[in-house]
Amino acid sequence: MAEQFDVKLVEEAKYYTPLPEYREKAWVKDYDEEYSEFLKDPEAFWGKIAKELDWFGPWDKVLDWKYPYAKWFVNGKLNITYNCLDRHVFNHRRNKVAIIWRGENGEERIFTYQMLYRQVNRFANGLKRLGIVKGDRVCIYMPMIPEQLIAMLACARIGAVHSVVFGGFGVTALNYRINDTESKVVITADIGFRRGKTIPLKTLVEEAIINAPSVERVVVLRRKEPKVEIHSGIEIDFYDLMEGVEPVCKPEVMDAEDPLFILYTSGSTGAPKGVIHTCGGYMVGTYYTSKVIFDLKEEDVYWCTADVGWVTGHSYLLYGPLAVGATIFFGEAVPDYPDAGNFWRLIQDMGITIFYTAPTAIRMFMKVGEQWPDKYDLSSLRILGSVGEPLNPEAFEWYYRVIGKDRCPIVDTWWQTETGMQMITTFVGEKMRPGFAGKGIPGVIPDVVDKHGKPVKTGTLGFLIIKNPWPAMFRTIYKNDERYRKYWETIPNVYTVGDLAVKGKDGYIMILGRADDIIIVAGHNIGTAEVESALVSHQSVAEAAVIGKPDALKGNLIKAFVILKLGEKPSDKHKLDLKYHVRMTLGPIAQPDDIEFVDKLPKTRSGKIMRRVLKAKELGIDPGDISTLED
Ligand code: WTA
C-alpha cells in the first residue's frame, strides 16, 4: 500500500476555507468548542444529544463500557420509527415532503411525512399478519424504490430485524444471507431497473430460497404491467398485504440495545460478516451526524446517491435524515444513464441543496468532462459530501470547482458498516484539506498507530484506530462474536479499523485504503475471500488468490490468480468461464477483471496466501517483509 503514500501531499498543507456564512449559520459553529465539550464529559455530551429525540422510557446510564462490549442508553426505551415518523407527523412537519422519488423511466412519486407514516403503519400491520414478531429476521431484496424504505421502516416499527441485501447481488450471496439470518420472510419486487436493463429480482429470489428452509413467505411488489403471476401459498402481493389492516400500528417498545438490523459486509477470511446494529445508539449517532455534518436544515433537499443495500443507504439515505425531519430525494439513478448528465440534471430539476456521493462517481465524471455538469444549473447546491473510498486531491479539486463552483464545502466522511455513523471529517465551517478526510468528529477519538498500538509520528504511515466506544458502533457479528472481539483485540483496548492512514501536523487524517483483504471496486466492498471461494467452487479450479489492482477510475480492479486442477489446461475459454461463474455466484460487481493462471501461490508457513506479495509483484514494487513466506 505504501506506493500510494504521497509524502509531498502531507508536507504541502494546502487548505480551502469555506465562506464565513457557513460557520455563522451552522448547527455547530465551532468544531473545537464542540469537541472540548465532548472530551470534558463524553456521557453528558451524548446524553444531551439523545434528549433531542423522543424516548418511551429514560435510560439509567448513557454508557456501560465493559471492554470490548458497550451498552448505550442502558434500559432506555424507544422506537426509531417513532422518531423518523410520528415525531414529525404530530407537529409542524405533518405535510412536509419526506421523500421525493424518481424512477429510471422518469416516474415521480412524493410522500409527505404523513403519507409515509400511513404506508409504514399499514405495511407493519401486514407483516404482523404474516406472523412476524419482534426479533424475527426479514430479508429485503428490492430495487431503489419507496417500498424498499417502507419495508425497512415497517420492520423497525414492529421490532423485526431487517437484513437488506443489495439488489446487485446474485443468487448465492442472497441465499447465504437468507440462511445466515434465518429470515422468515423475503420482501422483493418483480423487477428492478438499471441502465435500461431489467433485473429479474423475483426470479432470483425463487432460486435463492430453494435451499432456505426458514423462508415462510415472499412478499412481491409488482411493478410490471400486466402484473406477474403470484404463486399462491408462498407469495403475496405487497399491496394486498396492506389491504384490510388497521391503519395504525403502535410502535413496538424497543430496548435501546435490541437489534435494529443486520447488514453483511465483506470479511478478510471466510464468510461475509453480519454486522449487528442496535436501536438506541444507532439512532442517536446517525441523527447527530446527519444533523451537524450535513448541517441539515428544514429547507434542504438532500440527496444521498448510495444504494439502500449498503450502510450509507441505511444511515444517511433513510434513518439519519428522517430522524432529523429532512426532505430526501432518491431514485433509481446511476451517474451515466441515460447519459453522463443524469446526476446534474436531477440536481437542477429537484433543487438539491446537499449532495452526498462516492469518489468513484466523481472520477467517472472527471473523465467524461466538464461539459456535462456545465449544461445544468447547479446553483441550488449548498454542501457536497463524499464517502466510500479516499477522495484523492485531484477529485476533491474537481468536485469543489466544477460542481461546488468554489463555494460549497465538501465533507469527506470516513466511516464503515461497523461504525454505523460518520467518524472522521471536517465540519462545514472548518477549513478543508484535499486528500485528508479531517479529524475525529466530536464523540470520536481516532489515532494512527503502529502494530503495537504506539502512535506513529505525523507524516508516517500507520494503522487507523478508534480509542473510545461511540453510540452507533456495531455490537457484534451475528453468530460470530469472536470476529467482533478481534476488531478490539488486534491492538488491545482500541478498535482497529483495518485501514492505513497518515496524520498531518495539523491533526488531519489522510486515509489510504484497506490494510487487509477487502478490495473497494467502484465504491463496493468486495471480500477477497468471497471471490476466491466462488472461484474455487468451479470444478476446474484448485486454488485461487485475489488482489485489488489500483485503477484510476474504479479505485481498484479485481485480479485473480488461479491454479487449475491437474489435467486442466489454461485457456481463454477458462478465463471467460470463470468470470461468468463468479458473476453468477456473487453478482456482476465481484467479477474479476483479469485472471492469470499460475502454478503456485505465495503462502506463509501456516498456509495463508500472502496477497501482499502477489500485489507487490503485480505492481513491480518491494513486497517488504517476506520472512514468513514459505517458499
Ligand atoms: C473506506 C462505507 C477513505 C475505508 C461507509 C473503510 C473511506 C471502508 C472513506 C468502509 C473516506 C469509507 N475516505 N476511505 N471518506 N469512507 N472508506 O463498510 O477503507 O462499505 O474502511 O462503509 O471504506 O466501507 P463500508
Side-chain angles (χ1 to χ4, degrees):
M1 291 310 285
E3 78 277 5
Q4 295 180 5
F5 176 32
D6 185 346
V7 181
K8 208 172 93 243
L9 199 64
V10 179
E11 287 165 354
E12 194 176 46
K14 180 175 177 187
Y15 296 100
Y16 287 77
T17 309
L19 300 170
E21 66 193 57
Y22 279 99
R23 178 189 289 261
E24 284 153 23
K25 294 189 185 142
W27 284 116
V28 173
K29 295 188 177 35
D30 188 331
Y31 163 85
D32 293 315
E33 205 177 283
E34 180 99 342
Y35 202 87
S36 315
E37 194 190 323
F38 150 67
L39 277 186
K40 211 168 62 207
D41 189 344
E43 291 186 38
F45 174 81
W46 284 116
K48 191 169 136 197
I49 293 162
K51 281 190 187 137
E52 292 178 20
L53 293 158
D54 286 346
W55 296 74
F56 301 143
W59 53 87
D60 301 329
K61 214 172 160 213
V62 170
L63 171 64
D64 178 20
W65 177 231
K66 292 198 180 70
Y67 166 81
Y69 300 105
K71 287 192 180 128
W72 282 88
F73 309 105
V74 182
N75 293 326
K77 303 288 182 256
L78 75 145
N79 188 294
I80 194 167
T81 70
Y82 189 89
N83 284 281
C84 290
L85 299 170
D86 309 45
R87 205 160 70 91
H88 311 311
V89 168
F90 297 107
N91 73 15
H92 62 285
R93 296 198 190 98
R94 172 191 292 259
N95 297 315
K96 178 175 175 175
V97 172
I99 298 176
I100 306 170
W101 175 84
R102 168 105 81 147
E104 196 169 88
N105 59 4
E107 185 192 351
E108 269 173 32
R109 295 166 71 191
I110 290 177
F111 292 77
T112 63
Y113 271 96
Q114 179 165 231
M115 289 157 83
L116 184 63
Y117 169 85
R118 289 195 177 159
Q119 297 282 58
V120 170
N121 274 273
R122 296 180 78 101
F123 195 71
N125 278 331
L127 287 176
K128 277 189 175 169
R129 199 156 75 177
L130 294 184
I132 297 298
V133 296
K134 179 176 172 179
D136 283 346
R137 273 82 57 209
V138 172
C139 175
I140 300 175
Y141 182 65
M142 293 184 95
M144 295 272 284
I145 49 175
E147 284 83 354
Q148 184 184 31
L149 307 186
I150 290 166
M152 291 166 79
L153 291 165
C155 287
R157 186 101 180 152
I158 63 172
V161 178
H162 60 67
S163 156
V164 179
V165 178
F166 171 57
F169 273 131
V171 171
T172 310
L174 176 61
N175 173 268
Y176 177 83
R177 286 157 177 76
I178 293 172
N179 280 332
D180 197 50
T181 53
E182 296 159 279
S183 289
K184 274 194 187 168
V185 165
V186 179
I187 306 171
T188 190
D190 51 355
I191 50 167
F193 295 103
R194 204 172 167 87
R195 293 195 175 87
K197 284 197 206 120
T198 51
I199 301 158
L201 296 173
K202 178 170 171 293
T203 312
L204 297 174
V205 170
E206 282 165 18
E207 261 185 71
I209 63 171
I210 290 172
N211 288 310
S214 62
V215 177
E216 292 166 11
R217 302 300 291 266
V218 176
V219 182
V220 184
L221 178 82
R222 291 188 286 175
R223 309 176 78 189
K224 233 175 21 190
E225 294 291 347
K227 296 215 181 307
V228 295
E229 226 180 291
I230 289 273
H231 300 296
S232 60
I234 183 147
E235 291 178 350
I236 177 160
D237 177 85
F238 192 98
Y239 282 100
D240 285 350
L241 191 62
M242 292 159 82
E243 281 304 315
V245 296
E246 290 287 314
V248 174
C249 171
K250 235 177 113 237
E252 189 74 34
V253 176
M254 304 298 284
D255 187 89
E257 285 298 314
D258 280 335
L260 174 64
F261 65 82
I262 301 177
L263 184 60
Y264 286 84
T265 185
S266 302
S268 52
T269 51
K273 299 181 272 197
V275 170
I276 301 260
H277 281 289
T278 53
C279 296
Y282 178 82
M283 171 177 77
V284 174
T286 54
Y287 162 77
Y288 173 69
T289 45
S290 296
K291 179 175 156 186
V292 306
I293 290 173
F294 295 123
D295 196 37
L296 263 175
K297 300 281 169 51
E298 278 317 332
E299 319 72 70
D300 279 312
V301 183
Y302 163 86
W303 181 16
C304 164
T305 69
D307 196 284
V308 177
W310 307 121
V311 75
T312 307
H314 284 56
S315 300
Y316 297 108
L317 192 159
L318 183 62
Y319 288 115
L322 289 192
V324 177
T327 296
I328 65 169
F329 168 73
F330 89 117
E332 280 177 311
V334 291
D336 55 353
Y337 183 87
D339 59 43
N342 194 33
F343 277 10
W344 319 127
R345 189 163 42 241
L346 288 169
I347 289 174
Q348 170 187 282
D349 291 355
M350 299 293 158
I352 303 293
T353 57
I354 305 174
F355 179 62
Y356 192 31
T357 196
T360 183
I362 298 165
R363 288 193 298 263
M364 196 265 326
F365 292 128
M366 287 169 75
K367 197 174 125 190
V368 296
E370 291 172 32
Q371 72 274 19
W372 288 103
D374 285 353
K375 275 197 230 176
Y376 300 97
D377 176 6
L378 304 180
S379 61
S380 59
L381 286 172
R382 196 166 80 75
I383 291 164
L384 302 173
S386 171
V387 62
E389 319 159 64
L391 181 63
N392 50 305
E394 299 73 26
F396 177 101
E397 270 155 21
W398 190 91
Y399 199 24
Y400 189 75
R401 179 175 58 82
V402 180
I403 307 306
K405 312 293 179 204
D406 293 310
R407 59 172 181 80
C408 300
I410 296 177
V411 290
D412 175 2
T413 61
W414 176 89
W415 59 295
Q416 302 179 299
T417 304
E418 293 88 334
T419 71
M421 67 185 217
Q422 297 159 337
M423 305 286 278
I424 298 174
T425 188
T426 47
F427 274 36
V428 291
E430 305 294 326
K431 58 185 189 198
M432 300 156 270
R433 188 172 175 191
F436 289 72
K439 299 187 194 177
I441 67 155
V444 173
I445 312 177
D447 206 351
V448 181
V449 303
D450 66 17
K451 66 176 184 223
H452 306 293
K454 214 176 113 227
V456 296
K457 286 205 292 285
T458 56
T460 307
L461 191 72
F463 299 103
L464 183 63
I465 56 145
I466 309 292
K467 302 211 277 198
N468 64 316
W470 62 97
M473 62 190 268
F474 68 139
R475 300 300 196 266
T476 190
I477 297 293
Y478 193 55
K479 294 180 183 163
N480 196 343
D481 195 53
E482 200 182 314
R483 280 177 96 178
Y484 168 77
R485 284 200 308 274
K486 227 175 119 186
Y487 285 88
W488 287 94
E489 288 168 357
T490 302
I491 299 170
N493 290 308
V494 301
Y495 171 76
T496 299
V497 159
D499 283 359
L500 294 171
V502 177
K503 201 153 101 172
K505 283 202 192 81
D506 52 10
Y508 277 40
I509 295 174
M510 173 199 281
I511 290 121
L512 292 145
R514 303 293 310 177
D516 57 20
D517 305 329
I518 291 167
I519 308 172
I520 304 186
V521 184
H524 299 312
N525 285 14
I526 316 282
T528 50
E530 269 174 286
V531 183
E532 285 160 8
S533 91
L535 285 165
V536 173
S537 72
H538 190 273
Q539 77 262 11
S540 62
V541 174
E543 264 191 281
V546 166
I547 62 163
K549 212 173 144 177
D551 176 71
L553 194 59
K554 289 179 162 183
N556 287 288
L557 297 177
I558 300 178
K559 165 140 194 191
F561 296 86
V562 170
I563 304 180
L564 289 174
K565 283 193 181 144
L566 277 180
E568 300 277 352
K569 277 227 182 64
S571 69
D572 284 346
K573 168 138 191 340
H574 268 121
K575 282 190 191 175
L576 285 177
D577 280 356
L578 290 176
K579 285 186 188 178
Y580 181 75
H581 178 72
V582 176
R583 191 185 174 88
M584 292 323 282
T585 314
L586 295 173
I589 49 169
Q591 176 179 314
D593 299 280
D594 187 13
I595 293 178
E596 184 177 328
F597 295 109
V598 292
D599 297 329
K600 58 182 178 195
L601 291 167
K603 285 188 186 161
T604 62
R605 279 162 241 253
S606 61
K608 262 181 110 173
I609 295 171
M610 293 185 81
R611 296 185 191 80
R612 182 163 57 85
V613 174
L614 286 169
K615 187 157 172 168
K617 194 168 145 252
E618 186 69 26
L619 302 174
I621 56 164
D622 179 1
D625 178 17
I626 48 166
S627 57
T628 53
L629 193 67
E630 183 198 43
D631 189 359

